Amino acid sequence: TGQYPKADLVFLTSTAANTAPSEKVRIQSGGGISFNGDTAAANALDDYEEGTWTPTISDGTNNATMTASTYGTYTKVGDMVYLSALVETSSLGSVSGGLRINGLPFTTNSTANYRAAASLGYTRGLATTAGVSIAGTVDNGVARIDLSLRDLTSGVTAMLGTEWTADGLAILSLAYKV
C-alpha cells in the first residue's frame, strides 16, 4: 500500500514526423475525461449513465393504469438527460384534471432558465379536435412533463383527463438539464 502520485493520463497523437504531438484525450486524476487539450475541470465528461424509467399519466393526484407496453429509457451525459418513452394507458381511473407524465428519471435543474419541451411525435386514442397538437413542457425543479394542447391562436391550454382516452398512447422524446 504505497502512495502513488496524482497525475492525469494523457493520450497524444502526431500526424507527421518531427511535429509536436497534440493532446486528444485526458483522463483527469480528479475524475472526468477531457478532449483535445481542454483541461478545464468544468468541461470534463464526469458522468455517464444509461437506464430505464417508468412514465405514468397522472392529474397530480390520481394515476392512470398503464399497460405493460409502457416503457422509458434514458441516457445521462454530464448534466444533460436524453430520454424517450412510449406511454400507454389501459384505464384512466379517477384521472380528471390537467395531465402530466410523472416519473422522469432525474429532477430538472431548479434554475429558472432551464425549462425544456418534450416532443410527442406520435399519439393515438385521444379525444382532441383534429389538427390540435399536444405539447409537453418541463418546468425547472420538477420530475414531470406537463401536457398541453396547442388549441389557441394565442398559445396553449392544459390537456385534461377528458382529452385522453382509456387506451390513449403517446411516443415522446425529451432532452433536459439536471
Side-chain angles (χ1 to χ4, degrees):
T1 65
Q3 292 186 352
Y4 298 94
K6 285 189 170 184
D8 293 354
L9 177 60
V10 180
F11 294 86
L12 305 170
T13 63
S14 180
T15 57
N18 300 322
T19 61
S22 62
E23 181 176 320
K24 295 300 177 187
V25 178
R26 176 181 296 262
I27 301 174
Q28 298 180 358
S29 63
I33 300 172
S34 55
F35 302 93
N36 299 318
D38 184 351
T39 59
N43 295 337
L45 174 59
D46 58 1
D47 187 17
Y48 180 88
E49 179 180 336
E50 294 180 7
T52 60
W53 64 288
T54 306
T56 305
I57 294 289
S58 176
D59 63 9
T61 303
N62 305 296
N63 292 337
T65 302
M66 310 307 295
T67 69
S69 299
T70 297
Y71 71 88
T73 61
Y74 72 87
T75 301
K76 182 175 182 284
V77 181
D79 62 359
M80 289 298 298
V81 177
Y82 305 90
L83 62 80
S84 62
L86 182 145
V87 182
E88 184 176 25
T89 55
S90 60
S91 168
L92 290 177
S94 299
V95 172
S96 62
L99 293 183
R100 60 177 64 170
I101 299 172
N102 285 337
L104 294 182
F106 302 94
T107 299
T108 60
N109 188 298
S110 61
T111 305
N113 296 328
Y114 290 120
R115 293 181 174 96
S119 172
L120 283 79
Y122 177 80
T123 59
R124 75 163 194 248
L126 305 181
T128 59
T129 303
V132 171
S133 62
I134 300 171
T137 55
V138 182
D139 206 356
N140 53 311
V142 300
R144 69 172 188 268
I145 302 167
D146 294 313
L147 299 178
S148 57
L149 300 176
R150 298 190 55 81
D151 58 354
L152 300 173
T153 56
S154 60
V156 299
T157 59
M159 184 174 192
L160 303 176
T162 56
E163 295 164 318
W164 187 287
T165 63
D167 63 348
L169 178 140
I171 299 173
L172 65 99
S173 61
L174 169 67
Y176 67 96
K177 196 170 184 79
V178 296

